[in-house]
Amino acid sequence: MKKALLTLSFISLTALVVKAQEEDKLVTLGIRAGANYTTILGKSNAGSDLSNDYKLGYHAGITADLYVFPGFYLQPGLIYTTKGAQKDENNIKASNTISYVELPVNVLLKLGMGSGKLLLGAGPYAAYGISGNQKVEIGSTTTELKANFTNTITAADFLNGNFYNVRRWDYGVNALAGYEFAGGFNFHLNAQLGLKEINPEIEAVTTDKSSIKHFGVGLSVGYKF
């Protein structure tokens, strides 16, 4: 009985990947673009939980599907993406935006489904901040600060608030699920969790309890050449 079940499972899996095997190439290049819906999670300087809202952003870039074996690929990419958060509370509107060049590397599973392929993937990413800003509106007064990329700041820098201080590097994990049509067009839903704190360390301050990380979901559409 066990042998029969194992044989049936093997046949089923083979049937799922055989369609992908028929057209596999060693390297397939692609483009993708879409919308991000991101926020910033964690704790404030005083240790209270952040309650930010989600903010709409976007991403665009290139990918490469590197064939490993039938149905399995390694998919690196080079993506320009915007992340951030917003908040509207007690007549104060705040919005943070950081632009990154991001390198995701996903392990991608392609399973034959209909005339195309079901896509399932996950993997790490690393991102390099290139610009950013923080905008705060209090009544009719608006203050906008440019991002200052740094790993550490002084207590004076923190209190003066002349810049939006943030670490330049970010890294975390991705997950995605989608569909690739026979003609090369594809789409997928994705989720991303930052694992690195993006708030800089405040020198000589032991009471700082800040712990700020990215989180987001998104939708991508693309084309494989």
Side-chain angles (χ1 to χ4, degrees):
M1 184 63 178
K2 288 184 178 179
K3 274 191 172 183
L5 289 174
L6 288 172
T7 302
L8 182 59
S9 299
F10 177 76
I11 292 173
S12 299
L13 181 59
T14 302
L16 287 172
V17 301
V18 68
K19 188 175 184 66
Q21 186 179 13
E22 292 172 356
E23 299 179 357
D24 278 334
K25 295 188 290 186
L26 290 179
V27 180
T28 303
L29 298 179
I31 55 175
R32 56 174 277 207
N36 302 327
Y37 203 44
T38 64
T39 189
I40 293 175
L41 304 176
K43 294 185 179 296
S44 70
N45 175 261
S48 58
D49 291 334
L50 298 178
S51 57
N52 292 313
D53 297 323
Y54 284 82
K55 182 178 182 180
L56 187 64
Y58 64 92
H59 62 268
I62 58 174
T63 60
D65 291 0
L66 310 179
Y67 175 78
V68 179
F69 54 86
F72 289 85
Y73 298 79
L74 192 64
Q75 186 189 72
L78 189 62
I79 310 294
Y80 175 83
T81 185
T82 62
K83 304 179 185 181
Q86 60 186 8
K87 189 174 183 178
D88 187 350
E89 190 175 78
N90 299 325
N91 200 35
I92 299 175
K93 295 181 180 180
S95 175
N96 298 345
T97 302
I98 309 173
S99 299
Y100 290 96
V101 174
E102 186 172 283
L103 175 65
V105 182
N106 292 313
V107 175
L108 191 63
L109 175 64
K110 297 188 181 185
L111 302 175
M113 178 178 287
S115 60
K117 302 167 186 174
L118 175 68
L119 305 177
L120 298 171
Y125 76 85
Y128 181 83
I130 55 175
S131 65
N133 67 79
Q134 181 183 72
K135 186 177 180 180
V136 179
E137 298 178 33
I138 304 175
S140 59
T141 302
T142 300
T143 303
E144 188 164 356
L145 304 176
K146 290 186 178 181
N148 174 44
F149 292 104
T150 180
N151 290 329
T152 60
I153 58 173
T154 65
D157 290 333
F158 176 77
L159 293 174
N160 289 337
N162 294 324
F163 293 95
Y164 172 39
N165 296 299
V166 63
R167 293 178 187 263
R168 188 178 295 275
W169 284 98
D170 177 39
Y171 59 78
V173 291
N174 302 296
L176 66 89
Y179 190 79
E180 184 176 306
F181 296 93
F185 287 98
N186 60 84
F187 73 91
H188 64 75
L189 300 172
N190 58 75
Q192 190 175 75
L193 174 63
L195 299 179
K196 181 178 176 60
E197 294 181 351
I198 61 171
N199 53 289
E201 178 184 354
I202 304 176
E203 294 177 351
V205 175
T206 59
T207 57
D208 179 26
K209 299 179 181 179
S210 303
S211 177
I212 301 173
K213 299 177 182 179
H214 286 299
F215 175 77
V217 295
L219 171 66
S220 292
V221 294
Y223 181 78
K224 297 296 174 74
F225 297 99

